Amino acid sequence: MAMSRRPINPSRRIADLGASPSAASAHSKSRSSSYLYIALIVLGAFLLIGYFRGSGSFRGGIRAVSKVEGDFSCTVEVERAIPILKKAYGDTLRKVLHVGPDTCSVVSALLREEDTEAWGVEPYDIEDADRKCKNFVHRGIVRVADIKFPLPYRAKSFSLVIVSDALDYLSPKYLNRTLPELARVSSDGLVIFTGYPQLHKPKVEEKSKPGRSAKLRSANWWVRYFVQTSLEENEAALKKFEQAAIKASYRPSCQVFHLNAYH
């Protein structure tokens, strides 16, 4: 800035005017304080201008960062949605299988619910899992399995199957195998959480897990695909879910599909 390159010397100016030593001292302090105050104001103004130019606006800047970093997780969304799912599915939530990364956290949350049994399938390696998660694996509550192949459960083993952050990484070729398997092990239905293509972008670290980037698809794409694979919308569960969400002021940050299982 110009002020820093040309420092002001108040005492020199006062001496040139022939002021008395005491007056010069007082005047010097006053002028120094004034210039310091002005310099701070100017500096603050430049900082604010630079900030807003870089971000567009305060809220817009936050949105831009979120869009670039792609910080989203539908598995976290499942945990938020558990109270809504309980109201929508009632007794159907008594025996649940969650399929997706970080399934241990979802299983833990479900097990805290009264009269709910929960299991999980982790599609990726869990070498970095905590002790509690490894304990789930040791006890068989959570299994590590490639969901592109048949699931290690009998038909209709669970009343409800919940899937998150897993199908987004599969091509139609593998979805043709995985969706029927998910429906096979469910007796009452499927709940699928997927990312919004216009709002979400996968985290960089998530890309390496399945060996490919997530392909986020629109609701229309998923609906057409479900029809092609003989899955139909569970209208009763959808209506209850929407009603419970409105009452709880809950707005999901992921797409949520309620489907009837194969019969």
Side-chain angles (χ1 to χ4, degrees):
M1 292 175 59
M3 289 186 179
S4 61
R5 293 196 299 266
R6 298 180 59 187
I8 298 168
N9 191 337
S11 61
R12 181 179 176 182
R13 290 190 177 183
I14 294 171
D16 292 341
L17 293 173
S20 65
S22 59
S25 176
H27 193 56
S28 174
K29 291 181 180 178
S30 175
R31 292 290 294 274
S32 297
S33 299
S34 298
Y35 283 117
L36 178 60
Y37 180 72
I38 293 172
L40 289 174
I41 291 177
V42 173
L43 178 60
F46 274 106
L47 289 174
L48 287 174
I49 290 171
Y51 175 81
F52 285 115
R53 282 182 178 175
S55 61
S57 66
F58 187 73
R59 293 186 179 180
I62 293 176
R63 286 197 296 269
V65 170
S66 297
K67 184 177 181 181
V68 171
E69 293 183 353
D71 189 8
F72 90 96
S73 170
C74 289
T75 297
V76 173
E77 187 64 31
V78 172
E79 294 184 53
R80 289 184 57 230
I82 288 176
I84 312 301
L85 291 170
K86 283 191 67 176
K87 293 183 181 297
Y89 285 91
D91 291 340
T92 303
L93 209 64
R94 66 185 181 276
K95 193 172 184 180
V96 183
L97 173 69
H98 174 262
V99 178
D102 301 322
T103 189
C104 290
S105 61
V106 177
V107 170
S108 295
L110 287 167
L111 289 175
R112 289 194 291 269
E113 300 294 325
E114 187 176 356
D115 299 326
T116 298
E117 299 178 25
W119 284 263
V121 172
E122 169 62 64
Y124 312 123
D125 187 31
I126 58 169
E127 288 184 358
D128 297 330
D130 58 24
R131 183 179 300 178
K132 185 174 184 179
C133 186
K134 290 182 178 180
N135 183 44
F136 280 158
V137 174
H138 179 72
R139 293 162 58 189
I141 295 174
V142 169
R143 296 190 181 187
V144 180
D146 189 337
I147 60 174
K148 295 190 294 293
F149 298 95
L151 296 173
Y153 302 104
R154 295 180 180 179
K156 299 183 179 181
S157 294
F158 309 95
S159 53
L160 188 69
V161 174
I162 302 173
V163 189
S164 62
D165 294 332
L167 301 184
D168 294 311
Y169 294 95
L170 299 181
S171 66
K173 172 185 176 181
Y174 291 113
L175 282 173
N176 287 336
R177 302 178 186 177
T178 302
L179 277 172
E181 273 297 291
L182 296 171
R184 180 185 66 82
V185 300
S186 170
S187 61
D188 296 330
L190 305 172
V191 182
I192 296 175
F193 289 73
T194 67
Y196 282 107
Q198 66 272 29
L199 297 179
H200 296 149
K201 186 177 180 182
K203 296 178 181 179
V204 174
E205 61 267 24
E206 291 293 336
K207 293 183 179 181
S208 61
K209 282 188 174 182
R212 57 175 293 155
S213 300
K215 185 173 180 59
L216 303 180
R217 293 129 174 164
S218 68
N220 289 335
W221 189 95
W222 281 113
V223 169
R224 290 195 299 270
Y225 194 84
F226 294 145
V227 171
Q228 293 174 9
T229 51
S230 301
L231 286 172
E232 60 181 358
E233 185 178 63
N234 188 337
E235 295 182 0
L238 173 60
K239 185 175 181 180
K240 290 180 180 179
F241 185 88
E242 290 178 341
Q243 291 174 342
I246 291 172
K247 289 182 179 179
S249 298
Y250 166 76
R251 295 183 62 184
S253 61
C254 295
Q255 299 182 99
V256 185
F257 299 98
H258 305 265
L259 306 169
N260 284 325
Y262 289 131
H263 295 288

